[in-house]
Structure formats: C-alpha cells, structure tokens
Amino acid sequence: MGNPKAFLNIPRQEAGYRPVHERVADYSEVEQTLNTSERKLQASRCMDCGVPFCHWACPLGNRPPEFQDALCKGDWRKAYEILSATNDFPEFTGRICPALCEKSCVLKLSIDSPVTIREDEAAVIEAAFREGYISPKKYERNGKKVAVIGSGPAGLAAANQLNKRGYEVTVFERDEMLGGLLRYGIPNFKLGKNIIDRRLRIMEAEGIIFKTNSEIDLMKLSEGFDAYAVCTGTPQARDLSIPGRELSGIHFAMEMLAQQNRVLAGQEIAEKDRISARGKHVLVIGGGDTGSDCIGTSHRQGALSVTQIEIMPKPPVGHNPATPWPQWPVVLKTSSSHEEGCTRRWCLNSNKFVGKNGKVTAVEVEEVEWIPAADGGRPVMKPTGKKDTIKADLVLLAMGFLKPQLPELPANAVVAGDAATGPSLVVKCIAAGRKAAAEIDKMIMTN
C-alpha cells in the first residue's frame, strides 16, 4: 500500500463526462479521463484490504489491490501485467463494466466512496497501448484446431486463451464485422469501435483466423476441428405482444442500436429502412442499460422528446435496505444518457399501442402495484385501473433478451457466455470464455 492514509485524505474523484451540449452533437465517447498525477492519487486510496472483496466480486478474479499499488507508485507496466494476467480485454471492461468490484470495495461499504477501480483499469490499459507494452506474440503450436462460433466478448476471450495455449483458432462470425455485442449492441459513445479494432489487429497478428459473414449451423458443425466453443450470445429480444404490435414505428432496441453503429461504420442504409428518432417523440419501454443506450442514441439522432417507462417500482436513491451487502445494490441509476434529458416513469404496464394510418402514435399504459408474496417469493403485479396515454412516434422495446434454446451438441463442443446463461454482463462473458478455453484444453489434452 503506497499511502496508508490516502483513503482518509484523498476524496474519490471521477473523471466525469463531457458537457451535455457538446457530447449530444457527436457519437464520440462521453467519458473523460484524469491526468496521470490525479490517477495515481486515486489508485493510492486502495487500502490493500486483508480480505479484498473487490477481488471476490469480480467474475474475472481481477486483483485490484495489486494493480492499484503498482499504479499509485507509477509502475504502469507492472500494473498492466497484473491486470492482463486475469483480464483479456481491460479496454472493454474499463469502459462498460458496471464495476461489481467497486460495489464490493470496503470503502463503498463503509463510507460509500469506493476506489475508482474501473477508471483506473481503463487508464492502465490505455497507458499500455500508448507506451508500447502490448505487441503481438508468437505461440508454439500444438497441432490441434478449435473453432470458435461467435466473436462477442465470450468468443474473443475463448479464442485469445486457446491461441495462447498453442491451438490453431478460427473464429466464425455471422455478421459482416467482428465484435458481436461489443460491435453492434453498445453505442459508440460508450465504446468506440476503434478500441475493438485495435485489439482485433493484435489477435490476428498473433495467428487467430477470423471469418465474417459465416453463419454456422449448430446442427451440423464444420468438420476439421478438434473442439468447438459455441459463443453465439442471446440474439432473441423479448417481445411485447399487445394489441397494435403490428403498427410501424415499433422496433426492438437492438434494431436501432445496431443500425446506427453500422451507419457510423460507413454502411449505406436505404432511407426507407432507416430507424431514426429525428423529429419524433420517442418512448423507450424497459429501464435497463439497453434502454439507456436508446435514450442517448435518440438524442443524437435529433428526437423531440424521450420518455422511458419501466414496469418495476422506482429504486431508492443511494441505499436500498432490501438488497444489503453482499447482494447487488438495486438503487436508482442515472446514466450519461439520462443526464442528457429524459422523462422517466415507473410502475407502468403497457396495455396497447395506438396508431393512425398504420403508424404508431401513442401507447396506452396503466399504473401497477407490486404486492409482496406471502411466501417471500416474487411479488405479484396488480393493475390499478389508472390509465394514461403517452404520445410516441417511435417505440423502442428494450425489455431484455431470451435465453437461447440450443440443439444437442457433440461432446467436443463447449457453450459459453450468454448462449449458456442467458443475457449477462460483458465481464461475465469474458470470464466464461476463459473458462471454456480451459475446459477445451483439458478435454483435448486428456483424450
């Protein structure tokens, strides 16, 4: 521990976001960075706890106390080596992870002021790229071949780990570009796609073979491989089957987000096929991160207004006694997109879509109450009869995704990431990809 009293004398300092009036005019990343001196001070706040709950809470098993200590002492290379030993892609998690580690930090639990672990992580990996610590390496081959199906975070992590173990790895991606959720699900203002491409160039230089526009039939896997890592994600979004669903102007959130990312990548989208919020009143149904991404994208496209509704109750601010440690704290989250302007409403169920001339114009909603279950199980939703109509020219469905139903796979196939668990976090998918690689390695080497 570089400074045993730093957590007492140095307050938590976040880098924050670019000014709203500036960032809504472009799709560049909204988050700013601290300078080197300030970043080292933030790292010095880590107390090097005897029981590091941050390490325990991280799905990857990252070791924040160790890399924070190296960072606060100015040893950026050592900090990078510690971080990269457990995390294949700190440049992704350092930008978009909800930071389970910070929610578990002793300073969070004691004074609600955790170490800025996520931002420090992003600073370390950016320094590593900037200073040239990261360069392609060559690995001795073992003569075995593995196919990775899907190039999202789980697939890329599995491919990276298998490649380091000496396997000839081929990654198959059904879309025209690599990255899966990272490429098409996360807006550029949260994760610039140049960050993905930078990592892909390293992986390709290290010998990984990437094949895009390659739809793989899971019922008939490609021949010539000793094992398969199935990392196909959760492509099926949860629908809202209520009257009026056939009206135009109602889209799944990922349709809009993926299309916008394609437009920013230079792809031509016919005007009739464009999903645009320009000059429209937008209603986002769903209160999670995907819904938040729709809000930010709608602002940048020129929406007249944006409303977000959620069927669950409004979470408390700051602390929720219903979700004490070590549970994930269910509290009100205000994202950068929310800060840009949004009407947020809770405990609303959607009854029907209202339209005119085949186009959606509004949504009828009804207030609901959540009655605690007598057996302590899931609360019961009770309609109140209080109805309202929300004007909407564009409705975006952001209610999550369904766990995929996969066919029976051969014994030498390992399923990882969202394909195995249903929708999850990027950090958990990376961890799952690493685990799948280890399972495949053990399976091949023991046969």
Side-chain angles (χ1 to χ4, degrees):
M1 180 164 44
N3 183 353
K5 294 185 177 181
F7 73 97
L8 296 172
N9 304 321
I10 300 171
R12 175 182 167 97
Q13 179 184 1
E14 298 179 13
Y17 304 118
R18 293 190 290 137
V20 171
H21 71 275
E22 174 187 305
R23 69 184 193 239
V24 295
D26 61 48
Y27 287 86
S28 298
E29 291 186 1
V30 301
E31 195 164 46
Q32 302 181 120
T33 58
L34 299 180
N35 62 41
T36 299
S37 177
E38 291 172 330
R39 183 56 63 203
K40 289 165 65 177
L41 285 176
Q42 289 304 299
S44 73
R45 296 183 68 244
C46 179
M47 299 189 298
D48 191 18
C49 303
V51 180
F53 293 126
C54 55
H55 165 80
W56 168 81
C58 178
L60 284 165
N62 283 347
R63 308 198 303 271
E66 284 89 339
F67 79 74
Q68 301 288 354
D69 181 63
L71 175 54
C72 79
K73 293 175 180 176
D75 194 340
W76 293 80
R77 181 184 285 273
K78 182 178 180 181
Y80 159 70
E81 291 172 350
I82 295 170
L83 182 56
S84 62
T86 55
N87 189 351
D88 295 75
F89 313 119
E91 65 270 35
F92 303 156
T93 53
R95 285 172 165 81
I96 59 176
C97 186
L100 285 73
C101 52
E102 292 188 24
K103 306 305 183 292
S104 306
C105 176
V106 171
L107 291 180
K108 164 67 177 177
L109 305 177
S110 57
I111 59 174
D112 196 27
S113 185
V115 176
T116 54
I117 302 173
R118 180 187 61 80
E119 290 188 20
D120 293 352
E121 179 178 310
V124 168
I125 190 63
E126 288 307 311
F129 274 106
R130 184 173 61 249
E131 299 299 325
Y133 303 156
I134 303 174
S135 59
K137 297 178 176 60
K138 296 298 182 183
Y139 303 99
E140 183 177 348
R141 298 301 163 187
N142 60 20
K144 303 294 184 178
K145 296 182 179 182
V146 178
V148 175
I149 305 169
S151 68
L156 291 180
N160 197 48
Q161 287 296 309
L162 288 165
N163 189 56
K164 289 181 177 181
R165 286 174 163 85
Y167 294 92
E168 181 182 307
V169 181
T170 302
V171 178
F172 296 92
E173 171 56 53
R174 66 176 183 175
D175 287 321
E176 68 275 22
M177 297 184 74
L178 301 163
L181 170 72
L182 300 168
R183 175 77 62 182
Y184 293 113
I186 300 174
N188 285 25
F189 56 79
K190 289 174 64 176
L191 175 64
K193 301 308 174 269
N194 60 307
I195 301 301
I196 303 173
D197 295 335
R198 179 179 63 182
R199 176 60 70 173
L200 289 172
R201 287 193 294 270
I202 295 287
M203 295 174 70
E204 193 167 29
E206 290 183 338
I208 297 176
I209 302 167
F210 292 106
K211 294 187 177 183
T212 56
N213 294 309
S214 299
E215 183 81 44
I216 300 298
D217 183 359
L218 296 183
M219 298 289 289
K220 188 178 180 181
L221 295 174
S222 304
E223 297 181 356
F225 295 96
D226 297 284
Y228 304 84
V230 179
C231 308
T232 48
T234 54
Q236 183 59 52
R238 182 174 283 109
D239 206 345
L240 185 58
S241 299
I242 58 176
R245 178 63 179 89
E246 74 284 353
L247 294 168
S248 66
I250 305 170
H251 302 275
F252 290 117
M254 281 301 168
E255 292 181 88
M256 180 208 205
L257 297 176
Q259 186 184 92
Q260 182 58 56
N261 285 357
R262 285 185 166 94
V263 169
L264 293 173
Q267 296 185 36
E268 294 290 338
I269 306 293
E271 191 63 31
K272 64 181 179 63
D273 297 324
R274 285 294 300 272
I275 303 171
S276 176
R278 179 172 296 279
K280 296 178 181 177
H281 298 282
V282 180
L283 175 63
V284 179
I285 301 179
D289 288 338
T290 301
S292 170
D293 293 342
C294 289
I295 294 168
T297 302
S298 296
H299 284 309
R300 285 157 180 77
Q301 290 183 347
L304 290 178
S305 69
V306 184
T307 302
Q308 182 182 38
I309 63 174
E310 166 63 55
I311 198 170
M312 300 302 294
K314 180 179 180 179
V317 177
H319 174 68
N320 187 348
T323 55
W325 164 258
Q327 296 181 55
W328 172 262
V330 179
V331 295
L332 182 64
K333 180 180 179 181
T334 301
S335 69
S336 63
S337 295
H338 291 131
E339 292 178 357
E340 294 163 6
C342 174
T343 299
R344 304 174 72 182
R345 300 176 64 181
W346 286 266
C347 285
L348 289 180
N349 185 39
S350 302
N351 286 341
K352 65 179 180 179
F353 296 110
V354 180
K356 184 178 181 180
N357 299 325
K359 297 181 180 180
V360 68
T361 58
V363 179
E364 181 190 281
V365 296
E366 181 176 359
E367 292 185 20
V368 298
E369 294 178 350
W370 289 92
I371 311 300
D375 60 357
R378 182 178 176 83
V380 178
M381 187 182 77
K382 177 184 176 183
T384 65
K386 299 177 182 178
K387 298 181 180 180
D388 189 14
T389 300
I390 301 176
K391 184 177 181 179
D393 309 304
L394 175 64
V395 178
L396 300 171
L397 307 179
M399 303 175 297
F401 302 86
L402 302 175
K403 181 179 178 180
Q405 299 298 313
L406 301 177
E408 184 176 350
L409 297 169
N412 62 343
V414 176
V415 184
D418 289 354
T421 64
S424 187
L425 303 173
V426 168
V427 65
K428 290 185 177 181
C429 288
I430 295 174
R434 291 170 63 92
K435 181 180 178 182
E439 290 178 8
I440 289 173
D441 181 49
K442 181 179 180 180
M443 176 176 60
I444 292 178
M445 290 305 164
T446 55
N447 286 339

